[in-house]
């Protein structure tokens, strides 16, 4: 039966957005894609609050960021992956040059990683960098800082947008640009990227409606579009992307919630299904995954409904490498729930038993199915 490795990051020491930290470190599982049965292979300890994890595209390594309240800088730690056992071997770590390190990604060459620091300390606290770029060796070892940028400004919501809050960083498919969603200033910021040195040059920005709170975004796998979840307004923005010029145009914005009052709900994860016909967004407090159908001509995502996640506070989710299974991390229920993706309709069908793991905040699949 086909199976795949996946890793779960979580909260193992106090942080404001988790009620009772219950993780021990980075948990490794092997998932049977037919039955949904998951075997816990081990837990890598010795890391603080690995709240976001990602496996490199070559499958050789994994990196994790440490997001700890009160630290002036977070950490990004690299590990080598044993694909047979799932075990992680420590390689290196680097300071992230900013606090509340929330997200990172690998570039498309595998030679760099970029991190986004949300920033929770006073803006005068050093080093206060919003994003930073680090080189990555072939084995996954992380080198010293090569680029960093501090964002400026604030948004209309005094409680949430009193300063910049970088929340997601990704490369364009051609590796020419780095794009950052900043929740605090309601912008997508674009930087030209030097793929030889890792240097960044400011290139442009796209302004979102005031108070949107842009959180995470993804590019369509084959069409010239991108999709952005706005955390504070619980909306999904569809954007046209001009790859040659590195610019975005807002096409539409749709609610991630059904009609009615849903007080306290906030957007979280975003992901496109294999084939590019459907896109999904997490709704915390409403505790659902919202589904959208993507018009293959206009690129606009249209709401088709929500699916309960089977737990509380779905912070993250990820599709397995075959695109058949969506795994959802329910942060406050200490579990991951599985769903089968139905490509004809976009429906998500629950299957398998909940996978027990403490305070899950991030899921990363290995690219190899065996």
């Amino acid at each position: 039966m086909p199976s795949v490795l996946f890793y779960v990051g979580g909260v193992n020491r106090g942080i404001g957005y988790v009620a009772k930290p219950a993780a021990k470190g980075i948990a490794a599982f092997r998932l049977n894609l037919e039955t949904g049965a998951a075997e816990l292979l081990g837990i890598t300890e010795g890391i603080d609050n690995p709240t976001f994890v990602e496996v490199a595209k070559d499958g050789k390594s994994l990196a994790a960021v440490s997001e700890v309240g009160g630290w002036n800088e977070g950490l990004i730690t690299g590990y080598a992956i044993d694909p047979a056992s799932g075990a992680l071997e420590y390689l290196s770590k680097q300071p992230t040059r900013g606090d509340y390190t929330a997200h990172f990604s690998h570039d498309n060459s595998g030679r760099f990683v970029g991190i986004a620091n949300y920033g929770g300390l006073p803006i005068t606290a050093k080093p206060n960098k919003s994003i930073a770029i680090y080189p990555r060796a072939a084995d996954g070892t992380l080198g010293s800082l090569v680029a960093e940028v501090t964002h400026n400004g604030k948004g209309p919501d005094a409680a949430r947008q009193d300063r910049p809050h970088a929340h997601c960083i990704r490369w364009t498919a051609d590796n020419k640009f780095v794009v950052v969603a900043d929740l605090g200033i309601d912008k997508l910021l674009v930087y030209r990227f030097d793929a030889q040195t890792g240097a960044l040059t400011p290139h442009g920005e796209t302004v979102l409606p005031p108070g949107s709170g842009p959180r995470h975004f993804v590019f369509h796998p084959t069409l010239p579009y991108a999709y952005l979840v706005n955390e504070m307004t619980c909306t999904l923005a569809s954007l046209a992307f001009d790859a040659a010029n590195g610019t975005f145009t807002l096409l539409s914005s749709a609610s991630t919630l059904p009609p009615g009052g849903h007080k306290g709900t906030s957007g979280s994860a975003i992901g496109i299904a294999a084939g590019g016909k459907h896109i999904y967004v997490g709704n915390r407090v409403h505790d659902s995954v919202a589904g959208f159908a993507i018009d293959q001509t206009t690129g606009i995502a249209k709401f088709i409904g929500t699916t309960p996640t089977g737990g509380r506070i779905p912070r993250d989710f990820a599709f397995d490498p075959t695109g058949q299974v969506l795994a959802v991390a329910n942060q406050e229920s200490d579990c991951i729930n599985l769903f089968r993706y139905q490509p004809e309709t976009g429906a998500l069908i629950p299957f398998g038993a909940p996978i027990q793991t403490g305070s899950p905040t991030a899921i990363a699949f290995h690219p190899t199915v065996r």
Side-chain angles (χ1 to χ4, degrees):
M1 293 184 180
S3 66
V4 64
L5 280 172
F6 73 95
Y7 296 89
V8 181
V11 173
N12 57 14
R13 57 181 291 177
I15 198 166
Y17 60 77
V18 174
K20 295 181 179 180
K24 294 182 179 179
I26 303 170
F29 293 88
R30 182 164 290 281
L31 175 66
N32 184 309
L33 294 173
E34 291 188 2
T35 67
E39 175 189 4
L40 176 62
L41 302 177
I43 298 176
T44 300
E45 300 187 31
I47 183 170
D48 293 294
N49 281 2
T51 57
F52 191 80
V53 298
E54 184 174 274
V55 175
K57 293 175 176 63
D58 60 14
K60 294 180 179 180
S61 67
L62 171 146
V65 293
S66 291
E67 179 186 9
V68 180
W71 286 10
N72 284 55
E73 295 185 76
L75 295 169
I76 182 164
T77 306
Y79 299 89
I81 294 174
D82 182 330
S85 68
L88 300 177
E89 178 186 1
Y90 173 82
L91 293 171
S92 63
K93 66 177 61 174
Q94 296 290 342
T96 61
R97 303 292 293 153
D99 68 296
Y100 278 92
T101 305
H103 183 260
F104 78 94
S105 65
H106 294 78
D107 84 315
N108 292 304
S109 73
R111 296 181 55 237
F112 296 93
V113 296
I115 63 92
N117 292 309
Y118 182 82
L121 293 176
I123 201 163
T124 54
K126 295 179 181 180
N128 187 38
K129 301 302 178 182
S130 298
I131 60 173
I133 306 293
Y134 302 86
R136 172 186 177 269
D139 67 349
T141 298
L142 301 172
S144 299
L145 179 82
V146 293
E148 60 185 13
V149 177
T150 298
H151 293 169
N152 296 293
K154 58 184 178 180
D157 188 317
R160 295 294 314 279
Q161 298 181 305
D162 61 325
R163 54 160 294 162
H165 293 302
H167 217 314
C168 180
I169 181 169
R170 296 192 188 281
W171 273 263
T172 56
D174 59 12
N175 232 36
K176 291 181 179 179
F177 299 100
V178 169
V179 183
V180 184
D182 194 306
L183 181 148
I185 57 178
D186 293 322
K187 291 179 180 180
L188 279 178
L189 298 108
V190 181
Y191 299 90
R192 188 168 289 278
F193 178 65
D194 185 325
Q196 297 304 311
T197 67
L200 298 174
T201 304
H203 179 74
E205 60 184 39
T206 299
V207 180
L208 284 304
S212 295
R215 179 183 173 91
H216 281 196
F217 67 95
V218 292
F219 289 98
H220 193 283
T222 59
L223 300 174
Y225 303 107
Y227 302 89
L228 167 71
V229 55
N230 291 306
E231 175 179 329
M232 294 168 58
T233 55
C234 293
T235 54
L236 175 67
S238 300
L239 304 109
F241 176 60
D242 182 332
N245 294 307
T247 58
F248 296 88
T249 302
L250 180 62
L251 300 175
S252 71
S253 183
S255 176
T256 66
L257 296 164
H262 304 288
K263 186 177 180 180
T265 295
S266 61
S268 59
I270 187 170
I272 294 183
K277 293 182 178 180
H278 299 99
I279 189 166
Y280 299 89
V281 173
N283 289 314
R284 291 172 291 187
V285 177
H286 189 259
D287 297 337
S288 65
V289 172
F292 295 79
I294 297 174
D295 186 302
Q296 301 296 289
T297 301
T298 66
I300 293 175
K302 298 180 180 179
F303 181 73
I304 56 177
T306 58
T307 302
T309 63
R312 296 177 51 233
I313 312 298
R315 184 176 180 85
D316 192 33
F317 57 70
F319 280 98
D320 83 284
T322 71
Q324 301 174 44
V325 176
L326 183 71
V328 180
N330 287 302
Q331 173 187 299
E332 296 299 328
S333 295
D334 297 329
C335 70
I336 291 170
N337 290 63
L338 304 175
F339 300 83
R340 283 204 180 280
Y341 167 59
Q342 308 297 301
E344 298 81 8
T345 64
L348 299 174
I349 309 300
F351 86 108
I355 301 166
Q356 303 302 316
T357 186
S359 304
T361 58
I363 300 173
F365 279 95
H366 192 276
T368 303
V369 176
R370 70 177 194 184

